[in-house]
Amino acid sequence: MPFLRLAIPTPLRRLFDYLPPEGCSIEQLQPGVRVMVPFGRRQLVGVLMEVVEQSDVPIAKMKPAIAILDATPPLPPQLFKLARWGASYYQHPIGEAISQALPVLLRKGDPCEYAHEHLWRAAKGAEINKLSGSAVRQKELLQLLIEHPKGISSDAIRAEGGQTSLLKKLEAKDLAESFIHHPNTERQIREPLHEAPLTLNPEQQEALRQIIAEDKFKPFLLLGITGSGKTEVYLQAIEKVIREGKQALVLVPEIGLTPQTTARFKARFNLPIVALHSNMTDRQRLDAWLQAREGIAKIIIGTRSAIFTPLQHPGIIIIDEEHDNSFKQQEGYRYSARDLAVMRASYENIPVILGSATPSIESLHNAQQGRYQWLRLTQRAGNALPPKFELLDIRQSALQDGLSSELIGQIGQHLQQGTQVLVFLNRRGFAPTLMCHDCGWLADCRRCDAHMTLHRKPLHLHCHHCDSQRPVPKACDNCGSDELKPVGAGTERTEEALLKLFPGFPVVRVDRDTTQRKNAMQQIMEQIHQGDPCILVGTQMLAKGHHFPKVTLVAILNSDSGLFSADFRGMERTAQLILQVAGRAGRADHPGKVVMQTHHADHPIINSLVSEGYLEFARQELAQRQAAQLPPLTNCALLRAEANHQSTAERLLRQVREDLEEDILQPQGVQWLGPFPSPMEKRAGQFRAQLVLQCPDRKALHRQLIALTHYMEANPLSRKIRWSLDVDPVDMF
Ligand code: ADP
Ligand code: ZN
Ligand code: ZN
């Protein structure tokens, strides 16, 4: 009998050999099937990578696997290949990388099949009047069943106030029956559209023409200004794919997956669409995953992890708002769903569209190099016009809770004319911190190098970096004075100020604190879409992708906040955020205006951004990156380490660098920077340091990273501290 070589979800970067389980036949050993194995004292679910004839593990020491869990591999071959590629590219343990490509229930060893849910429905010919007049409860229950001809679960019956104990009685009278429900496995051939597509303008037509001309692998970068109708291009590209019997996978940013997004797809297509959102149970996710794999779901919309959704007939992949950071996982397996999407499209041999009004400098560079095909939409769709910008110099003006009197006047005008105003600032809470007026003491977090944010609703201090909270002190920790004052403004404070300034107009705050409750975002969106004059105050949650037809004024309170960031991507982020927020103004019949409060009204980059647009900004930014040899002109990886004591992490990283640099086999051209303490050295009680590796040659860097992870796994000190490797990091913290 041969041996099984398995990928097992552990932090170790290697495969593990096992004996086949007892009584298993050779046909069962297909690479890709899940295998339950003993691992230490636990049982884990691994995936069969290979069947081998030889092993370095002595036979006597080799354990038999417990069971083969699948008759056929759950992941289609292309996805299996993608998972392996990701593990290697990101130097992440293969077992974990493959496990993460599976739905949670499959990781746990559940069968790869639909839920067997028991549902109830009325029996054929059942009528209310077959029950005697006194059986009121039974009548109500039967009525409920009649109203749900496709079946209803016991839980749902209870939720509707029905008595499940009476179901058996109805069943005995042949009025009700139970059955096992399989979620939507029907295959229908029907007209795929609910509504007619819009007539495209010439630019949209040209973009669509190029996309649908392709049925092989081809990456497109769709650069379309906000409101230019990118979504309409996606919808029509998807329509073509669907008419060919294929499926579409659409990835959206984390907070972009709102009911409004799915509603647009559902309004257009008369087809099974699944949205993989965070409110789903593991069970619902597996069902959706199966529907995608079997080709029943035609359109799959999801956030980052949806890139691993299997498709029976893949037709196209779309990454909307491709510049968004949420496509990069920032912990554990640090993959970029956008980059994996391009890789996946090449394995599946299908087109992939990266769309944005403010593409990442990486993607623009790829387009300039000819690796991605350019598509441009330079006009707003329909009758909408681009918004007009005004830089409001606030250097000498007195601010009222962060609002200049000029801005207050403009907000009033727009409300009076009956439209909506959006006020953006990038900080939630009441104020960024609390200060002692007498001695200058600041309310700092005890576990981080950071100030704590003052919140009023409810009143407390909150660290946004480690999540620790404490009551607001009555007196200064340092001098005992009770003159504690909030410094600066967050969304709560702005909301309060606007309510006072404009009584009679609702103020809707949109930030992480107001949208946590289930359906909260939906309710807020419904209120905004009713269209009555109101003020929206919020963080970048308001910036992303939303279509607010009634917003005519966008106010950016602190346009300068990202200008002087330590991260080389600070300028790029600022530009993207400004244009995305600005893009919410004037998207329909009413012209839009954007007022930016700034202390740097003559800043050349800000001026060029608002007068010449994103592309010109991006050209300059790329030139600067070139001059400084920063990504995307070079490739970058970041080794982070953290320890309980200051300098321990740095010491380890220094040793890593010295040992590896001495190695004569070390690849040429890799540049080491650091170690440095991280920009926020102390976070959640841990002291953090980092080492940067850069190399224009991707292959050389990759070889170096392999040597690096080998070294880290072998080094005894590295077992005492936490370390992680981030390939193509999107933030340097
Ligand atoms: P983007 O995603 O580029 O920001 P959207 O796709 O949301 O833009 O389009 C903005 C608005 O323009 C939407 O209300 C959309 O229905 C409308 N729209 C898009 N294309 C057309 C078109 N060809 N004709 C008329 N209206 C259009
Ligand atoms: Zn004090
Ligand atoms: Zn903290």
Side-chain angles (χ1 to χ4, degrees):
M1 203 69 176
F3 309 116
L4 310 184
R5 189 153 289 166
L6 303 177
I8 294 176
T10 75
L12 299 171
R13 285 170 175 76
R14 45 170 285 216
L15 300 171
F16 296 86
D17 291 351
Y18 280 82
L19 295 167
E22 238 169 84
C24 120
S25 72
I26 196 91
E27 295 78 58
Q28 285 178 284
L29 304 180
Q30 291 181 52
V33 296
R34 292 173 303 146
V35 184
M36 178 78 85
V37 294
F39 193 86
R41 270 185 231 141
R42 294 179 297 163
Q43 290 190 356
L44 292 178
V45 175
V47 168
L48 180 60
M49 303 304 284
E50 239 187 307
V51 178
V52 292
E53 300 295 336
Q54 282 180 3
S55 172
D56 296 339
V57 185
I59 276 263
K61 283 203 162 174
M62 207 181 293
K63 291 191 193 138
I66 298 166
I68 307 284
L69 299 178
D70 299 304
T72 53
L75 287 180
Q78 279 82 353
L79 217 46
F80 193 49
K81 198 168 151 192
L82 184 74
R84 297 176 74 147
W85 181 83
S88 160
Y89 183 85
Y90 294 104
Q91 278 297 297
H92 194 69
I94 177 111
E96 283 185 358
I98 291 190
S99 184
Q100 286 217 16
L102 293 168
V104 170
L105 288 185
L106 297 191
R107 294 179 208 165
K108 291 183 179 159
D110 280 27
C112 188
E113 58 191 33
Y114 288 107
H116 297 289
E117 199 182 11
H118 284 268
L119 296 185
W120 288 87
R121 66 184 165 209
K124 248 204 181 101
E127 281 169 31
I128 297 287
N129 57 22
K130 288 187 179 163
L131 285 165
S132 77
S134 60
V136 183
R137 292 309 219 156
Q138 290 187 41
K139 278 188 175 172
E140 280 172 10
L141 183 60
L142 183 55
Q143 182 59 36
L144 189 64
L145 297 183
I146 291 172
E147 283 165 13
H148 292 87
K150 287 186 183 158
I152 177 169
S153 68
S154 317
D155 284 347
I157 292 173
R158 270 191 294 275
E160 298 272 344
Q163 288 190 0
T164 45
S165 55
L166 298 176
L167 285 166
K168 291 278 173 216
K169 286 202 172 147
L170 293 185
E171 192 177 27
K173 292 174 190 164
D174 285 334
L175 293 173
E177 61 188 20
S178 73
F179 64 101
I180 293 176
H181 165 71
H182 298 280
N184 199 358
T185 49
E186 63 193 301
R187 282 160 208 273
Q188 291 177 347
I189 302 161
R190 53 185 173 194
E191 168 54 35
L193 295 192
H194 270 312
E195 57 172 26
L198 298 177
T199 308
L200 300 181
N201 66 32
E203 285 184 336
Q204 287 174 313
Q205 262 174 38
E206 177 55 20
L208 180 68
R209 190 189 63 77
Q210 295 205 36
I211 296 165
I212 64 179
E214 224 43 70
D215 52 8
K216 292 191 290 298
F217 169 60
K218 182 152 192 174
F220 293 95
L221 179 62
L222 175 59
L223 167 58
I225 61 164
T226 54
S228 58
K230 292 183 288 296
T231 313
E232 188 60 34
V233 174
Y234 304 152
L235 291 171
Q236 297 196 23
I238 292 173
E239 180 189 337
K240 177 249 183 183
V241 161
I242 278 172
R243 289 194 189 275
E244 291 169 349
K246 298 181 200 157
Q247 297 161 284
L249 175 61
V250 183
L251 299 194
V252 297
E254 235 152 44
I255 50 184
L257 189 53
T258 58
Q260 279 73 28
T261 312
T262 24
R264 249 175 117 175
F265 287 83
K266 288 187 173 156
R268 174 67 51 91
F269 294 104
N270 178 28
L271 291 167
I273 295 176
V274 300
L276 300 164
H277 53 78
S278 54
N279 279 337
M280 281 170 118
T281 63
D282 289 342
R283 184 67 250 172
Q284 288 169 325
R285 276 184 181 270
L286 178 55
D287 284 347
W289 188 90
L290 286 165
Q291 287 178 32
R293 195 183 68 161
E294 292 174 8
I296 295 159
K298 296 297 180 196
I299 302 173
I300 292 88
I301 310 173
T303 50
R304 180 177 62 232
S305 62
I307 188 56
F308 297 114
T309 314
L311 302 173
Q312 186 173 49
H313 298 297
I316 195 164
I317 304 177
I318 293 167
I319 316 290
D320 192 23
E321 311 290 356
E322 68 88 33
H323 64 279
D324 195 273
N325 271 350
S326 71
F327 288 123
K328 173 92 186 200
Q329 184 144 293
Q330 307 270 20
E331 58 202 31
Y333 182 16
R334 293 169 164 79
Y335 65 89
S336 154
R338 177 191 68 207
D339 296 348
L340 284 181
V342 175
M343 206 57 202
R344 178 166 180 189
S346 90
Y347 288 159
E348 312 262 22
N349 201 19
I350 55 174
V352 52
I353 311 177
L354 313 184
S356 175
T358 54
S360 61
I361 302 291
E362 276 77 7
S363 295
L364 279 169
H365 182 60
N366 278 327
Q368 281 188 351
Q369 300 288 306
R371 283 191 286 268
Y372 297 170
Q373 167 84 42
W374 273 110
L375 302 171
R376 304 260 326 254
L377 305 178
T378 60
Q379 312 286 319
R380 279 198 159 175
N383 300 321
L385 295 170
K388 293 215 159 38
F389 284 87
E390 178 184 331
L391 291 178
L392 200 61
D393 188 345
I394 51 168
R395 258 173 298 188
Q396 324 264 285
S397 29
L399 299 182
Q400 188 176 343
D401 295 298
L403 304 159
S404 61
S405 55
E406 165 67 27
L407 177 61
I408 294 170
Q410 295 207 28
I411 294 176
Q413 279 168 21
H414 283 258
L415 293 173
Q416 289 307 335
Q417 79 181 32
T419 56
Q420 299 176 339
V421 174
L422 187 157
V423 177
F424 170 80
L425 84 165
N426 217 358
R427 284 186 196 127
R428 64 195 172 96
F430 187 80
T433 193
L434 194 64
M435 183 173 79
C436 171
H437 190 61
D438 287 333
C439 77
W441 169 88
L442 292 167
D444 285 335
C445 176
R446 289 164 193 157
R447 306 175 66 223
C448 304
D449 294 331
H451 305 312
M452 293 189 95
T453 303
L454 176 69
H455 285 252
R456 281 257 180 105
K457 294 174 187 168
L459 186 67
H460 69 289
L461 291 173
H462 196 150
C463 173
H464 291 175
H465 302 282
C466 71
D467 219 25
S468 62
Q469 304 185 19
R470 59 182 152 117
V472 177
K474 296 253 177 331
C476 169
D477 275 7
N478 183 43
C479 74
S481 156
D482 57 5
E483 285 288 300
L484 298 181
K485 296 264 176 348
V487 190
T491 45
E492 277 182 21
R493 187 171 197 168
T494 309
E495 174 191 28
E496 221 175 89
L498 289 165
L499 275 169
K500 273 196 213 116
L501 286 165
F502 304 102
F505 290 101
V507 176
V508 185
R509 174 159 62 92
V510 183
D511 56 27
R512 196 142 20 118
D513 301 313
T514 62
T515 52
Q516 249 169 11
R517 260 180 318 108
K518 204 175 164 183
N519 295 334
M521 191 69 172
Q522 169 132 33
Q523 282 163 9
I524 290 174
M525 289 297 154
E526 276 163 15
Q527 183 180 357
I528 300 172
H529 283 280
Q530 275 173 9
D532 296 331
C534 66
I535 307 175
L536 321 174
V537 182
T539 57
Q540 71 261 36
M541 279 193 151
L542 275 178
K544 307 226 166 143
H546 302 292
H547 185 60
F548 301 133
K550 283 287 187 165
V551 169
T552 52
L553 176 66
V554 164
I556 304 180
L557 294 196
N558 188 356
S559 318
D560 308 333
S561 58
L563 285 186
F564 308 101
S565 151
D567 193 322
F568 72 84
R569 287 198 180 82
M571 220 38 246
E572 178 185 354
R573 294 279 153 64
T574 305
Q576 288 167 344
L577 196 53
I578 289 176
L579 289 192
Q580 290 291 342
V581 184
R584 302 315 113 202
R587 291 171 65 93
D589 314 333
H590 315 275
K593 181 166 181 193
V594 182
V595 176
M596 297 166 59
Q597 291 194 150
T598 171
H599 287 101
H600 303 275
D602 35 23
H603 196 294
I605 297 182
I606 295 289
N607 278 280
S608 113
L609 182 68
V610 301
S611 58
E612 292 165 89
Y614 186 77
L615 204 53
E616 185 47 39
F617 158 79
R619 286 209 180 98
Q620 295 173 21
E621 179 70 19
L622 201 53
Q624 293 204 355
R625 302 265 183 101
Q626 177 119 44
Q629 272 304 297
L630 287 166
L633 284 311
T634 188
N635 302 294
C636 177
L638 195 60
L639 180 65
R640 297 186 179 91
E642 58 179 55
N644 294 331
H645 298 285
Q646 199 156 14
S647 74
T648 312
E650 228 180 308
R651 202 173 67 233
L652 170 78
L653 294 184
R654 188 163 306 115
Q655 194 192 327
V656 173
R657 177 175 173 168
E658 279 164 13
D659 290 353
L660 286 174
E661 264 185 333
E662 263 172 28
D663 189 344
I664 45 161
L665 295 177
Q666 115 126 357
Q668 294 297 301
V670 177
Q671 189 189 2
W672 298 74
L673 304 167
F676 316 109
S678 302
M680 184 187 292
E681 184 179 10
K682 187 175 160 202
R683 181 166 175 175
Q686 295 285 307
F687 292 88
R688 309 167 332 133
Q690 59 193 36
L691 189 57
V692 178
L693 286 86
Q694 285 190 343
C695 185
D697 177 0
R698 163 72 62 198
K699 290 205 173 91
L701 178 65
H702 187 68
R703 280 203 306 280
Q704 180 67 81
L705 296 180
I706 294 173
L708 176 67
T709 48
H710 278 308
Y711 174 94
M712 294 303 282
E713 290 196 329
N715 188 318
L717 182 59
S718 68
R719 275 182 226 130
K720 290 191 196 129
I721 66 180
R722 280 163 56 105
W723 63 273
S724 64
L725 183 65
D726 194 346
V727 179
D728 305 336
V730 296
D731 87 40
M732 307 299 279
F733 285 76

